[in-house]
């Protein structure tokens, strides 16, 4: 039973749960810890700042199942918390490791740099308590291993961030490696077999008795943990299915059963909302009824039987069962593979609008439809919040395309950093060959430093920047001429090359007409590039996706009527 450093123990544990790359920004309180990263066979990617690092960890975890971010005490960790907040909200397991001052200095009463100057070293810990499912600061070598395991197990169980503070002296204290033989709980354990069997039986009964059942693929309940079961379930049920904004990017949208993107009055195609309203039983995977995910709360399920599957429970109508979605889904697949086909609503399959003419200027409705034929199997698509999030609902993903957008937390700039982490994870899994990032110029300016990661690490990216020199959603809602919505004009192509000058072959394009963009998207070399590419798309100032206009007209009406939901 040889002794190992506690820092070494921590990184070995991360490797055991599938993490191969650590993101972060070095700082003096963590340097002794960082010296132990690469000796454990882990890669280190230093990020331009902690916010980009947190976003990158989020994107990496959505592909790999977990991620790690290392920052220094105080300013470093606070700079990362916006990204950690998004991971907490959207059920993404990221462990935030923070380098603390030496224990003796913390106890000395002396004023240390990176503190708030009052001798209290737990201010930041208390803040992170609100954004973590479990936290610890390692101050006793005797309990360090068990505390590391407790936080990591909680992170995996709840699929939310965990926080581990570790001082320089503790990082080099020793612990027996015997603890490493006890496996961490990487997979959520099943619930009681009787409860699970009862839940499955009741779900089967409800679907079999339905006259017009549908399947809704949403994004709650820690989506990556159950995503692998979605397409087998679709094929077993053979009923119409819809995806929400948060659920898009996991189901095969080339399936004949795919009927569109559902967001209440903002659904696509136009008949999707009516079709859902015509159903009587909805099997809802990971229901997350937030404002943008429900078309500003215009989802109406009154009088329907909703089967709501969540991470820790299944609810059939008003009856809740102790049954977990990642176990219920494969059991449903097995049950329905041996059943007769369920009744179907007669709804036309959602397909790209092939007849939509190429516009003179680049218009949103044409653009999002055009992405349907640009994307190809094997692509990984990361879409920015806001206008891009609304627009991507009108894109039909080919089979084998995966992706997501940060629907609930909605932090602008998220997608660029998350795409960088996702690209690294995609290379490690060898599942995706190309990363497609779709973002706006305002969001891009917030985290443009992430281009250095996108251009240097992971699978080749192609980046589309929607450039109308302003924030579209805010303009639409408050007025197209409001000056506070303006965004400075940057040369995104030049910046892409400047952020990775040692990378050869980086290409940039600036397109101002629909014809130019259509021609570029059809170009064989552009489609099959093995190097980074960025496309600056100049768009009309007063244009927006139709379904976004519908949703925000509804929001305006409610605001004027004095409604708050």
């Amino acid at each position: 039973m040889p002794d190992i450093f506690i820092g070494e123990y921590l990184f070995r544990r991360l490797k055991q749960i599938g993490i191969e790359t650590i993101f972060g920004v070095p700082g003096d309180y963590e340097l002794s810890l960082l010296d132990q990263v690469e000796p454990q066979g882990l890669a280190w990617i230093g990020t331009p700042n902690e916010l980009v690092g947190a976003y990158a960890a989020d994107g990496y975890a959505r592909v790999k199942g977990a991620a790690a971010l290392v920052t220094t005490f105080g300013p470093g960790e606070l700079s990362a918390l916006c990204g950690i907040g998004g991971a907490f909200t959207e059920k993404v397991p990221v462990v935030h490791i923070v380098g603390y001052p030496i224990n003796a200095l913390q106890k000395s009463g002396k004023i240390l740099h990176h503190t708030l100057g009052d001798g209290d070293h737990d201010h930041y810990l208390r803040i992170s308590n609100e954004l973590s499912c479990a936290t610890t600061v390692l101050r006793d070598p005797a309990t360090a291993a068990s505390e590391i395991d407790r936080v990591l197990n909680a992170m995996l169980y709840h699929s939310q961030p965990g926080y581990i503070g570790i001082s320089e002296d503790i990082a080099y204290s020793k612990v027996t490696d015997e603890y490493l033989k006890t496996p961490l709980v990487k997979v959520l354990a099943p619930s009681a077999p009787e409860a699970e069997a009862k839940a499955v039986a009741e779900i089967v009964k409800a679907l079999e008795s339905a006259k017009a059942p549908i399947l809704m693929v949403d994004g709650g309940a820690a989506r990556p943990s159950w995503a692998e079961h979605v397409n087998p379930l679709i094929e077993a049920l053979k009923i119409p299915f819809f995806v929400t904004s948060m659920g898009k990017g996991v189901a095969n949208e080339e399936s004949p059963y795919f009927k569109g993107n559902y967001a209440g009055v903002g659904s696509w195609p136009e008949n999707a909302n009516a079709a859902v309203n015509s159903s009587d039983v909805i099997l809802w995977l990971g229901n997350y009824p937030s404002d943008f995910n429900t078309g500003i709360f215009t989802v109406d399920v009154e009088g329907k039987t909703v089967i709501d599957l969540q991470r820790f429970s299944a609810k059939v109508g008003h009856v809740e069962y102790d049954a977990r979605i990642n176990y219920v889904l494969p059991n449903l697949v097995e049950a329905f593979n041996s059943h007769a086909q369920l009744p179907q609503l007669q709804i036309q399959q959602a397909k790209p609008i092939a007849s939509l003419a190429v516009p003179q200027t680049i218009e949103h409705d044409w653009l999002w439809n055009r992405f349907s034929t640009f994307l190809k199997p094997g692509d990984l698509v990361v879409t920015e919040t806001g206008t891009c999030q609304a627009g991507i609902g009108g894109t039909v993903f080919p089979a084998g395309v995966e992706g997501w957008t940060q629907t609930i937390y909605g932090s602008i700039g998220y997608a660029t950093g998350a795409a960088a982490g996702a690209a690294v994870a995609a290379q490690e899994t060898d599942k995706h060959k190309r990363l497609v990032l779709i973002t706006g110029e305002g969001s891009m300016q917030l985290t443009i430093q992430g281009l250095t990661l996108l251009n240097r690490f992971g699978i080749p990216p192609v980046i589309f920047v929607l450039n109308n020199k302003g924030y579209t959603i805010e303009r639409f809602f408050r007025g197209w001429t409001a000056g506070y919505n303006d965004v400075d004009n940057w040369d995104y192509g030049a910046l892409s090359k400047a952020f990775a000058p040692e990378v050869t072959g980086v290409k940039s394009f600036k397109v101002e007409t629909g014809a130019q963009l259509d021609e570029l998207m059809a170009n064989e070399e552009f489609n099959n590039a093995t190097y980074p590419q960025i496309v600056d798309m100049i768009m009309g100032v007063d244009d927006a996706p139709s379904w976004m206009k519908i949703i925000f007209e509804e929001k305006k009406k409610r605001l004027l009527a004095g409604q708050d939901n």
Side-chain angles (χ1 to χ4, degrees):
M1 295 187 297
D3 289 340
I4 58 174
F5 294 129
I6 290 172
E8 181 181 353
Y9 180 89
L10 171 59
F11 293 127
R12 285 199 194 180
R13 277 306 204 192
L14 298 185
K15 194 169 183 180
Q16 284 180 347
I17 61 175
I19 295 173
E20 298 179 65
T21 298
I22 309 292
F23 298 94
V25 178
D28 55 348
Y29 289 141
E30 63 185 277
L31 296 181
S32 58
L33 179 66
L34 296 186
D35 286 338
Q36 300 179 53
V37 171
E38 292 183 350
Q40 305 314 313
L42 296 167
W44 165 262
I45 292 183
T47 60
N49 57 53
E50 291 87 356
L51 178 62
V52 169
Y55 289 156
D58 180 302
Y60 182 95
R62 291 185 192 235
V63 177
K64 287 297 294 282
L69 169 73
V70 182
T71 66
T72 200
F73 179 78
E77 60 181 305
L78 291 184
S79 295
L81 284 187
C82 183
I84 297 297
F88 182 82
T89 305
E90 304 212 349
K91 304 292 189 294
V92 182
V94 174
V95 58
H96 186 186
I97 302 165
V98 178
Y100 268 62
I102 291 173
N103 271 326
L105 284 175
Q106 292 185 57
K107 296 174 182 177
S108 69
K110 296 177 180 178
I111 296 176
L112 306 178
H113 67 284
H114 291 345
T115 70
L116 297 183
D118 61 358
D120 185 344
H121 297 88
D122 289 335
H123 284 296
Y124 313 126
L125 171 65
R126 289 192 289 271
I127 295 171
S128 284
N129 277 333
E130 296 294 319
L131 302 175
S132 309
C133 66
T135 63
T136 189
V137 178
L138 306 179
R139 293 189 168 110
D140 182 356
T143 60
S146 62
E147 280 294 280
I148 289 170
D149 290 359
R150 179 182 65 82
V151 171
L152 293 180
N153 276 324
M155 176 189 77
L156 295 169
Y157 180 79
H158 293 284
S159 193
Q160 287 182 306
Y163 176 101
I164 298 176
I166 179 169
S167 61
E168 296 176 285
D169 52 325
I170 291 292
Y172 274 92
S173 297
K174 291 195 171 183
V175 64
T176 175
D177 69 351
E178 189 71 16
Y179 295 119
L180 291 170
K181 296 178 181 178
T182 302
L184 295 172
V185 183
K186 290 197 292 183
V187 179
L188 193 65
S191 45
E194 300 81 9
E196 191 173 287
K198 179 65 173 174
V200 171
E202 290 301 312
I203 294 169
V204 170
K205 180 181 176 181
L207 289 170
E208 286 184 327
S209 62
K211 295 179 180 178
I214 63 170
L215 172 67
M216 190 71 67
V217 181
D218 209 335
R223 190 185 85 169
S225 67
W226 50 266
E228 64 182 298
H229 305 300
V230 172
N231 288 318
L233 180 66
I234 290 167
E235 292 305 310
L237 293 175
K238 297 181 172 60
I239 60 175
F241 79 90
F242 300 82
V243 299
T244 66
S245 175
M246 198 174 183
K248 190 171 183 67
V250 63
N252 174 16
E253 296 182 9
E254 286 187 332
S255 165
Y257 307 110
F258 175 61
K259 306 303 178 182
N261 194 82
Y262 182 59
V265 297
S267 300
W268 177 90
E270 292 180 0
N271 66 349
N273 192 35
V276 173
N277 290 339
S278 299
S279 67
D280 61 342
V281 175
I282 304 176
L283 177 57
W284 207 307
L285 310 184
N287 182 19
Y288 206 139
S290 72
D291 49 4
F292 282 6
N293 208 37
T294 60
I296 313 297
F297 305 116
T298 56
V299 166
D300 182 9
V301 295
E302 189 69 29
K304 306 180 192 303
T305 297
V306 176
I307 304 165
D308 185 3
L309 300 187
Q310 295 292 341
R311 184 165 177 80
F312 299 110
S313 66
K315 195 173 183 181
V316 183
H318 298 293
V319 182
E320 188 167 317
Y321 299 90
D322 179 20
R324 297 166 179 178
I325 186 171
N326 58 327
Y327 290 97
V328 170
L329 291 188
N331 286 334
L332 285 177
V333 172
E334 183 179 354
F336 279 101
N337 274 335
S338 58
H339 279 60
Q341 185 170 323
L342 296 170
Q344 277 211 45
L345 273 169
Q346 296 305 308
I347 317 167
Q348 186 176 0
Q349 183 184 359
K351 294 181 179 180
I353 308 170
S355 60
L356 205 60
V358 178
Q360 174 59 35
T361 57
I362 302 171
E363 297 175 356
H364 274 280
D365 288 355
W366 171 82
L367 171 67
W368 299 105
N369 182 65
R370 183 63 177 85
F371 274 127
S372 301
T373 50
F374 169 74
L375 297 176
K376 58 186 179 181
D379 283 349
L380 180 60
V381 183
V382 181
T383 311
E384 184 56 271
T385 189
T387 306
C388 297
Q389 173 189 313
I392 199 70
T395 302
V396 177
F397 282 10
V401 171
E402 296 183 19
W404 70 86
T405 180
Q406 195 191 60
T407 306
I408 310 301
Y409 194 65
S411 179
I412 67 167
Y414 162 81
T416 300
V424 173
Q427 187 174 60
E428 291 175 1
T429 60
D430 197 29
K431 187 177 180 182
H432 303 284
K433 301 303 178 188
R434 179 176 70 166
L435 183 134
V436 178
L437 166 62
I438 308 174
T439 187
E441 83 282 35
S443 297
M444 173 64 82
Q445 289 190 14
L446 190 72
T447 51
I448 197 163
Q449 303 98 317
L451 285 176
T452 187
L453 306 181
L454 274 166
N455 288 350
R456 292 167 54 216
F457 303 105
I459 60 175
V462 54
I463 305 164
F464 292 92
V465 182
L466 281 65
N467 186 354
N468 69 350
K469 300 179 176 63
Y471 297 108
T472 303
I473 282 184
E474 287 78 1
R475 278 178 171 170
F476 179 79
F477 191 54
R478 293 296 184 188
W480 296 103
T481 59
Y484 51 72
N485 286 322
D486 294 343
V487 171
D488 288 335
N489 189 32
W490 289 9
D491 188 336
Y492 299 99
L495 287 168
S496 181
K497 296 174 183 177
F499 276 112
E502 75 279 14
V503 177
T504 58
V506 178
K507 285 196 174 181
S508 64
F509 307 87
K510 188 170 185 176
V511 292
E512 302 187 34
T513 69
Q516 289 174 343
L517 181 57
D518 189 55
E519 182 181 358
L520 180 64
M521 284 184 162
N523 182 274
E524 184 176 353
E525 182 180 353
F526 178 75
N527 275 273
N528 298 302
T530 57
Y531 44 80
Q533 302 180 106
I534 188 167
V535 183
D536 185 1
M537 302 182 294
I538 308 302
M539 306 185 70
V541 171
D542 57 355
D543 187 32
S546 292
W547 34 98
M548 190 187 88
K549 293 178 183 178
I550 293 169
I551 289 173
F552 276 85
E553 284 293 355
E554 180 70 22
K555 185 175 176 67
K556 275 187 179 180
K557 284 192 298 184
R558 291 177 177 228
L559 185 66
L560 293 173
Q563 299 177 12
D564 58 1
N565 58 24

